[in-house]
Amino acid sequence: MKILSIESSCDETAAAVIEDGRRIISSVVATQVEEHKLYGGVVPEIASRRHCESICGVVRETLAQAQTELDGIDALAVTYAPGLIGALLVGVNFAKGLSLSTGLPLVPVHHLRGHIASNYLCFPELEPPFLCLVVSGGHSHIVEVKDYTDMRIIGRTRDDAAGEAFDKAARTMGMPYPGGIHLDIAAESGDENAFRFPIPKVSTSPYDFSFSGLKTAVINLIHNTRQKGGELPVNDLAASFRKAVVDSLTRNFFLAADDLGYDTLVLAGGVSANSLLRRRTLELSKAKGKKCYFPAKELCGDNGAMIGAQAYYEYLAGHTADARLNAAATRSIEMG
Ligand code: KG4
Ligand code: ZN
């Protein structure tokens, strides 16, 4: 079964043709990052406008690279939640129009379920059940993936998402948007023990995260150093901050895995590209005799392929939509 999938929830206009949820036939991502960089973050109105301009071309190019026309496609899929509402609406309305004009079934896909599914494209043997750490710019969840379309959140952030904390810390260190990757690169040549940041703990829930205190601690430290005219050891600061975030993520993730008896662990979302998070998860999994998976780096960020992968399983579960489909800025991954 070939699915043409569309993703426009934030600042990437993307589409893909995916076969049976597991094989990428073509995938095109048009990023707007250079434009948003000027403002230090995504400007929602600009994002919507650029999606409108790009979506036709991206879909055409995706079909061309797959060497197919729409009559070679069996279903359409689109990210409908969560994300920037004006951005989501572009993809949703485009997909609805395409579905109405072709008669192809339309599969709505939850963006975070898509991130999880990027692993299905990389690992043919991977099947639920497994425990997944979903870490992106807007979310930090520990999710029990009981089946392809049956998920339960057992841990979440109480304030900032991990990606958001990385981006804000990086911005204060003078790095361009989106800062997560720049902070990660700087951290590779820094001393992670140069600064000691507290590893946040949420007393009432052992699997929940909190990153805002950590973020404030690093921002205050940077401002104080600058006010005193001191030199900012950026690489050491990046390494120490990254260590605190990754320690917090892995501590809760492995605690949950042990408590609930999961031996298969999966990372997903933009932050799963983080070098230390990948290394540490691999090391801890090896030490505990667990299997771990994380997507190829090019599939960690937003893309259309992951939406097409999850759409296959949503379709098999009978989850299709008609012209009444609407976008939603917020919606739980549990609701699908
Ligand atoms: O999943 P994603 O592409 O978009 C959302 O759905 O939010 O995640 C983007 C987030 C950004 O905060 C970005 O800085 C972060 O993922 N990110 C990283 C790295 N690469 C991307 N954070 C830390 N280390 C990285 N290597
Ligand atoms: Zn995303």
Side-chain angles (χ1 to χ4, degrees), residues 223-239:
H223 286 160
N224 287 342
T225 311
R226 284 204 181 120
Q227 269 163 12
K228 288 179 194 146
E231 188 70 18
L232 211 57
V234 172
N235 294 357
D236 291 350
L237 210 50

Side-chain angles (χ1 to χ4, degrees), residues 111 115 136 302:
H111 181 78
H115 272 301
S136 69
D302 292 346

Side-chain angles (χ1 to χ4, degrees), residues 9 19 31 84-85 91 98 144 161 164 171 185-186 218 220 239 247 265 276 292 302:
S9 67
E19 189 168 43
T31 183
L84 300 171
I85 192 68
L98 215 50
E144 271 193 279
E164 199 179 345
R171 184 155 82 178
I185 293 166
V218 75
N220 286 345
D247 280 353
L265 304 182
L276 182 66
C292 82
D302 292 346

Side-chain angles (χ1 to χ4, degrees), residues 7 9-12 82 111-112 115 134-139 161-168 170 177-185 242 268-278 297 300-303 306:
E7 151 69 39
S9 67
C10 191
D11 59 349
E12 260 96 31
H111 181 78
L112 297 181
H115 272 301
V134 189
V135 270
S136 69
H139 298 84
E164 199 179 345
F166 273 127
D167 291 346
K168 286 182 181 160
Y177 168 85
I181 185 165
H182 301 288
L183 192 149
D184 191 17
I185 293 166
R242 182 179 70 166
V271 180
S272 66
N274 186 268
S275 325
L276 182 66
L277 179 61
R278 292 162 86 96
K297 283 209 175 178
C300 289
D302 292 346
N303 63 83
M306 66 187 200

Side-chain angles (χ1 to χ4, degrees), residues 88-168:
L88 286 164
L89 278 168
V90 177
V92 165
N93 284 319
F94 188 90
K96 284 202 293 192
L98 215 50
S99 171
L100 279 171
S101 60
T102 56
L104 288 170
L106 177 60
V107 186
V109 177
H110 189 285
H111 181 78
L112 297 181
R113 288 189 175 197
H115 272 301
I116 295 173
S118 59
N119 285 282
Y120 303 144
L121 297 165
C122 304
F123 306 104
E125 74 281 14
L126 177 64
E127 288 181 343
F130 54 78
L131 194 68
C132 187
L133 178 66
V134 189
V135 270
S136 69
H139 298 84
S140 301
H141 287 340
I142 298 176
V143 181
E144 271 193 279
V145 182
K146 293 161 179 271
D147 207 338
Y148 289 104
T149 60
D150 180 10
M151 306 184 190
R152 191 168 72 102
I153 301 172
I154 58 160
R156 64 179 78 228
T157 182
R158 295 297 183 95
D159 38 59
D160 293 351
E164 199 179 345
F166 273 127
D167 291 346
K168 286 182 181 160

Side-chain angles (χ1 to χ4, degrees), residues 3-9 75-83 88 91-92 95 106-118 120 148-149 151 303-315 319-321 325-328 331-333 335-336:
I3 296 183
L4 170 64
S5 51
I6 293 167
E7 151 69 39
S8 71
S9 67
L76 303 167
V78 66
T79 306
Y80 80 106
L88 286 164
V92 165
L106 177 60
V107 186
V109 177
H110 189 285
H111 181 78
L112 297 181
R113 288 189 175 197
H115 272 301
I116 295 173
S118 59
Y120 303 144
Y148 289 104
T149 60
M151 306 184 190
N303 63 83
M306 66 187 200
I307 302 304
Q310 180 62 21
Y312 176 68
Y313 297 101
E314 300 288 349
Y315 179 82
H319 300 162
T320 55
L325 176 66
N326 203 355
R331 186 171 169 92
S332 169
I333 193 172
M335 315 269 292

